[in-house]
């Protein structure tokens, strides 16, 4: 045997699996296409690395994974966000908690997280191999080793597949693990973008490109039924909508195009319908001779007023003194339910994470071991789960990595 444990992939999950196995006294070799570990970690949180979310209740934490969250119960219960935080702080990285319980290094530099992982792996004696795995070898139905593209063969007693998803392929996440799993007989559920910006076929929405809204309420509907609600920030783009709320809402879009999805925005969530109509009346007072499009500047951003009036079917150059009660009610409705139809995701290469992957039915949630091939374990985004934005996906990567590293 060349080593006790082979780990394929030096991202968050792979590094944590390698470190954990090495700390158990196992000889560990980690293999990655990149010469530097943690390439995707370097760009998370816009380069600041939102490494976890300071949620201390397990059930609340599990609920933040709309995709197969129950499968993660075992991993998360054994390695909670506070464990992640304690480990990195023990490695000399001071952390801070920001809005939404997002956890970042105090330095706001993702490289500090990557460097800490790098030092930990070196101290633990983890061996590095740079190369691309072409095949996972089996003998008598069990794991036997791996073959690299350059012809090298490495043998080990166990293997952790932690190759990530298919988003941000420039970091090395090119979906290799899905092919490995499939060739070993595993079911790979179709992959799709998650934590993705959303496209619309409404030709008017791109006219709002660059408009950023804060303190806006979002409701995602599926065939007219509520699927998700949130309050926060949103950005209009040339293709549709983006921003933290949209990214989390995208996790709940699972049946496009079989089902119809729409985003409804409440542009004034702090006002009831009655309060909003009274506010409109106050804004109209003293502006009776103005066109209605010029009388709402204190209520709404100027760039969204024409489209809001269009959705209310209220001609923009109607004089304020000619606006009827029914038209005011329609305007209030358009403000409280500003509708954006969803036509699709941005390409999976642009998504923050990939949904879909190796079926959780074929992985033991208590160990991350394959139920089909003895000696093979899985960790991280290659598995069919996904969570909200805010540090949850990295926390799942760390937790599944620790669990696999403890049992491989």
């Amino acid at each position: 045997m060349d080593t006790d444990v082979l780990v394929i992939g030096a991202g968050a999950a792979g590094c944590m699996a390698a470190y954990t196995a090495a700390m158990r006294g196992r000889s560990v070799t980690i293999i990655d296409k990149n010469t530097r570990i943690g390439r995707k970690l370097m760009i998370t949180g816009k380069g600041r690395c939102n490494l976890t979310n300071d949620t201390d209740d397990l059930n609340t934490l599990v609920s933040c994974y709309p995709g197969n969250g129950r499968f993660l119960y075992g991993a998360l219960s054994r390695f909670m966000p506070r464990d992640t935080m304690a480990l990195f702080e023990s490695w000399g990285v001071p952390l801070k908690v920001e809005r939404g319980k997002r956890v970042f290094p105090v330095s706001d530099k993702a490289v500090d997280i990557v460097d800490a992982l790098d030092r930990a792996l070196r101290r633990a004696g983890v061996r590095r191999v740079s190369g691309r795995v072409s095949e996972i070898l089996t003998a008598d139905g069990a794991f036997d080793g791996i073959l690299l593209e350059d012809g090298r063969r490495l043998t080990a007693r166990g293997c952790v597949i932690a190759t990530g998803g298919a988003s941000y392929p420039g970091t090395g996440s090119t979906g290799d693990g899905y092919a490995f799993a499939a060739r070993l007989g595993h079911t790979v559920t179709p992959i799709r973008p998650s934590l993705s910006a959303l496209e619309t076929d409404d030709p008017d929405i791109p006219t709002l490109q660059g408009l950023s809204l804060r303190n806006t309420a979002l409701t995602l509907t599926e065939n007219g039924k509520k699927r998700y609600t949130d309050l926060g920030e949103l950005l209009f783009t040339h293709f549709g909508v983006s921003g933290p709320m949209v990214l989390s809402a995208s996790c709940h879009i699972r049946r496009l195009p079989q089902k119809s999805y729409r985003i409804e925005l409440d542009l004034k969530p702090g006002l009831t319908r009655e309060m909003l109509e009274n506010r409109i009346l106050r804004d109209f007072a003293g502006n009776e001779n103005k066109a209605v499009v010029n009388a709402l500047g204190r209520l709404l951003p100027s760039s969204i007023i024409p489209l809001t009036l269009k959705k209310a079917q209220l001609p923009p150059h109607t004089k304020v003194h000619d606006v009827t009660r029914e038209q005011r009610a329609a305007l209030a409705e358009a403000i409280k339910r500003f509708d954006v139809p969803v036509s699709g995701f941005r390409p999976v290469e642009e998504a923050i994470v990939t949904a879909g992957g190796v079926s959780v039915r074929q992985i033991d949630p208590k160990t991350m071991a394959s139920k089909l091939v003895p000696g093979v374990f899985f960790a991280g985004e290659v598995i069919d789960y996904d969570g909200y934005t805010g540090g949850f996906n990295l926390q799942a990567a760390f937790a599944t990595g620790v669990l696999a590293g403890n049992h491989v």
Side-chain angles (χ1 to χ4, degrees):
M1 290 286 171
D2 293 294
T3 190
D4 292 328
V5 176
L6 287 168
V7 177
I8 307 173
C15 287
M16 199 62 84
Y19 172 78
T20 305
M23 294 304 288
R24 290 171 50 223
R26 305 297 185 263
S27 61
V28 181
T29 299
I30 192 166
I31 307 156
D32 197 89
K33 290 176 285 188
N34 300 306
T35 55
R36 179 127 163 83
I37 69 166
R39 285 288 300 277
K40 191 173 178 183
L41 272 169
M42 291 289 284
I43 63 171
T44 60
K46 297 179 180 178
R48 297 172 60 217
C49 194
N50 178 193
L51 77 159
T52 188
N53 189 284
D54 190 17
T55 300
D56 56 9
D57 177 75
L58 179 59
N59 290 325
T60 301
L61 184 61
V62 168
S63 72
C64 293
Y65 298 87
N68 290 321
R70 296 301 300 175
F71 167 79
L72 294 171
Y73 197 97
L76 293 171
S77 67
R78 291 167 176 80
F79 198 76
M80 289 283 285
R82 292 289 173 88
D83 298 312
T84 300
M85 295 168 69
L87 185 60
F88 278 94
E89 291 192 316
S90 76
W91 289 343
V93 184
L95 303 175
K96 61 181 176 179
V97 181
E98 296 188 358
R99 181 177 54 84
K101 298 186 177 181
R102 290 167 164 83
V103 179
F104 295 90
V106 169
S107 66
D108 285 329
K109 295 178 180 178
V111 68
D112 289 350
I113 297 296
V114 175
D115 284 348
L117 268 173
D118 190 42
R119 290 191 299 269
L121 292 176
R122 292 180 189 280
R123 285 195 301 267
V126 175
R127 177 186 169 207
R128 313 277 183 84
V129 170
S130 179
R132 183 166 188 164
V133 176
S134 62
E135 189 176 352
I136 294 179
L137 308 172
T138 59
D140 298 323
F143 173 75
D144 190 49
I146 60 104
L147 189 66
L148 295 175
E149 276 189 344
D150 61 12
R152 285 178 292 171
R153 175 174 173 159
L154 297 174
T155 58
R157 296 163 64 189
C159 168
V160 180
I161 299 175
T163 48
S167 56
Y168 293 109
T171 65
S173 297
T174 52
D176 295 357
Y178 305 136
F180 298 151
R183 288 200 292 268
L184 292 171
H186 296 84
T187 299
V188 178
T189 58
I191 65 169
R192 64 184 187 283
S194 187
L195 295 187
S196 167
L198 297 174
E199 298 180 345
T200 182
D201 53 13
D202 182 338
D204 291 318
I205 295 300
T207 66
L208 303 176
Q209 179 180 352
L211 174 62
S212 178
L213 299 178
R214 293 186 176 182
N215 300 318
T216 299
L218 175 150
T219 298
L220 174 74
T221 65
E222 178 187 85
N223 286 357
K225 296 181 180 179
K226 282 185 182 180
R227 285 301 308 272
Y228 177 75
T229 61
D230 204 350
L231 179 70
E233 300 178 12
L234 177 136
L235 174 69
F236 289 99
T237 70
H238 67 284
F239 54 77
V241 286
S242 186
M245 290 193 300
V246 172
L247 299 182
S248 289
S250 72
C251 299
H252 295 272
I253 299 177
R254 299 180 176 272
R255 297 291 301 279
L256 264 176
Q258 299 94 330
K259 295 189 176 183
S260 171
Y261 293 88
R262 306 185 83 83
I263 282 176
E264 295 175 357
L265 301 175
D266 183 346
L267 304 179
K268 290 294 174 181
L271 301 178
T272 65
R273 189 66 56 91
E274 181 181 3
M275 291 166 65
L276 177 58
E277 290 197 38
N278 288 334
R279 168 68 189 273
I280 292 171
L281 277 172
R282 288 200 304 273
D283 283 10
F284 281 178
N287 293 309
E288 290 85 354
N289 294 317
K290 282 188 175 182
V292 67
V293 71
N294 297 321
L296 296 170
R298 295 173 61 188
L299 183 64
L300 297 172
S302 59
S303 59
I304 205 172
I305 292 172
L307 185 49
T308 306
L309 292 171
K310 183 176 181 179
K311 289 179 178 293
Q313 298 183 332
L314 177 52
H317 296 292
T318 304
K319 296 296 185 182
V320 166
H321 60 71
D322 290 330
V323 176
T324 66
R325 172 189 275 184
E326 290 75 19
Q327 287 175 318
R328 284 201 312 272
L331 175 57
E333 172 71 8
I335 292 171
K336 296 294 282 184
R337 293 182 64 181
F338 187 96
D339 181 68
V340 181
V342 176
S343 60
F345 301 98
R346 292 299 287 165
V348 67
E349 293 83 3
E350 296 179 19
I352 294 176
V353 297
T354 310
V358 182
S359 172
V360 297
R361 296 180 180 179
Q362 297 168 346
I363 302 172
D364 184 344
K366 295 184 176 66
T367 62
M368 295 293 121
S370 164
K371 293 180 179 180
L372 306 183
V373 183
V376 170
F377 292 71
F378 295 95
E381 198 178 337
V382 71
I383 303 170
D384 181 15
Y385 70 78
D386 58 283
Y388 293 143
T389 183
F392 296 104
N393 288 286
L394 267 182
Q395 175 59 36
F398 292 138
T400 54
V402 167
L403 196 55
N406 270 322
H407 290 90
V408 62

